[in-house]
Amino acid sequence: MNCIHTRIGLERSKLISNNPVLCIKLNKLLRYWRFQDTARGLSLKYPMSVGFHSFFEIPALIFFALEDIKKYFPGIDPMKIFLLSFVHDFTEIRNEDVPLNTKLLWTKEEQRKASKLEIEAIHELFTFEYMPKEIAGYKTESLLFEIYEKKTLEAQMLSYIDKVCGFAQAYHEFFAGNLVFFEPVSNYLTNTFDTQKLENKFPLLKPVLFSDDKEISPIFKIGQPLVIDDFLINAFKRHQKETLLS
């Protein structure tokens, strides 16, 4: 564990120090930016940049669940999951962050257009001088297409944990008093983390997502009824001032 901690720390430090323009652009992008609109009286309690999300938030959750990840998938490449985390939102420099509740309203034609834009963004990124061509021996473009296609175990694991992060931020925003986040939280619970949807979106992760192990990381329990019931029971209890700081 300590070895991979060191390797990830070094690769992250190199990526950040060697690519300052890229990191500045990622840190200027705000997750859930559509909910940060003072003109409409909207303000995020827990604003988070895409850069922090990619370089720190997701890696922290991967480390948190790494023991279970390696237990259920002995052949998985943990290093690859971290690297996919670092690059997975690079295309948002061109296309911006699109929240789940917006995607759910897309028609099939809009879905096709979004897919086309994603491919175009991947190709376009490498016309910019600030874009690293390789990260830790992997071609950056190959990593981005692996994320886009979501056919590998590592890509599906990264995609799932990315969804957990989106849900967690919406969940905290709602309980901090941002009632507009009721819709994003509900969408995650009834769409992304619905049992059938999990099977369809993350077929390679079934062993861990549908495990009966009570000691498994809570990251893999979000789709279970207990989590949904807890949200519905506590939906309109707000944070206190002291908990907003924690």
Side-chain angles (χ1 to χ4, degrees):
M1 184 75 79
N2 288 335
C3 179
I4 194 166
H5 264 283
T6 302
R7 289 179 64 199
I8 292 304
L10 288 172
E11 292 301 334
R12 177 169 55 200
S13 295
K14 285 195 295 184
L15 181 60
I16 292 173
S17 61
N18 294 340
N19 303 279
V21 176
L22 170 65
C23 293
I24 288 171
K25 288 181 177 293
L26 291 173
N27 284 324
K28 283 184 176 180
L29 295 174
L30 195 66
R31 286 171 60 75
Y32 285 112
W33 62 272
R34 288 172 173 80
F35 293 89
Q36 183 76 357
D37 187 345
T38 53
R40 292 192 295 151
L42 301 178
S43 178
L44 294 169
K45 302 291 186 182
Y46 301 102
M48 182 184 299
S49 73
V50 169
F52 184 87
H53 164 70
S54 300
F55 297 146
F56 297 97
E57 185 191 24
I58 288 184
L61 284 188
I62 297 171
F63 276 124
F64 180 70
L66 193 54
E67 186 175 333
D68 284 323
I69 292 173
K70 293 167 73 174
K71 173 184 174 182
Y72 282 86
F73 307 104
I76 201 168
D77 181 353
M79 186 72 177
K80 173 75 80 67
I81 309 173
F82 287 102
L83 297 178
L84 291 173
S85 168
F86 294 162
V87 308
H88 81 285
D89 278 341
F90 280 6
T91 54
E92 290 188 8
I93 292 172
R94 181 184 188 269
N95 294 342
E96 298 185 326
D97 177 47
V98 181
L100 175 62
N101 52 313
T102 298
K103 293 178 180 178
L104 291 174
L105 297 174
W106 282 348
T107 63
K108 288 186 177 180
E109 178 60 28
E110 288 172 325
Q111 290 173 5
R112 283 193 290 270
K113 287 181 179 178
S115 181
K116 182 181 178 182
L117 284 174
E118 190 75 6
I119 293 174
E120 289 175 354
I122 293 174
H123 289 304
E124 184 179 312
L125 285 174
F126 294 94
T127 64
F128 304 135
E129 291 185 4
Y130 61 77
M131 184 58 57
K133 301 300 185 289
E134 288 191 0
I135 300 175
Y138 290 91
K139 290 186 179 299
T140 311
E141 188 173 19
S142 296
L143 291 174
L144 288 169
F145 273 110
E146 184 171 341
I147 294 163
Y148 170 77
E149 293 171 349
K150 295 182 179 63
K151 293 180 180 179
T152 67
L153 182 55
E154 290 81 5
Q156 288 190 21
M157 183 63 72
L158 179 279
S159 179
Y160 175 80
I161 294 178
D162 185 32
K163 299 295 186 293
V164 171
C165 289
F167 167 71
Q169 186 175 358
Y171 193 88
H172 281 292
E173 287 289 342
F174 180 79
F175 283 106
N178 272 344
L179 301 187
V180 291
F181 276 87
F182 182 85
E183 183 181 3
V185 173
S186 299
N187 284 336
Y188 272 110
L189 290 176
T190 58
N191 286 278
T192 302
F193 299 115
D194 171 77
T195 300
Q196 189 61 52
K197 299 288 177 53
L198 285 174
E199 287 189 26
N200 293 338
K201 292 180 180 178
F202 309 105
L204 300 180
L205 305 187
K206 286 182 182 180
V208 71
L209 295 181
F210 300 100
S211 170
D212 294 327
D213 184 0
K214 294 181 180 180
E215 301 301 318
I216 201 168
S217 169
I219 288 174
F220 300 117
K221 294 182 178 180
I222 294 177
Q224 296 182 7
L226 184 62
V227 176
I228 299 173
D229 290 346
D230 178 71
F231 171 69
L232 294 174
I233 291 169
N234 296 293
F236 293 96
K237 292 181 181 178
R238 297 191 182 188
H239 272 302
Q240 302 301 314
K241 286 184 179 180
E242 57 272 16
T243 62
L244 283 171
L245 300 176
S246 62

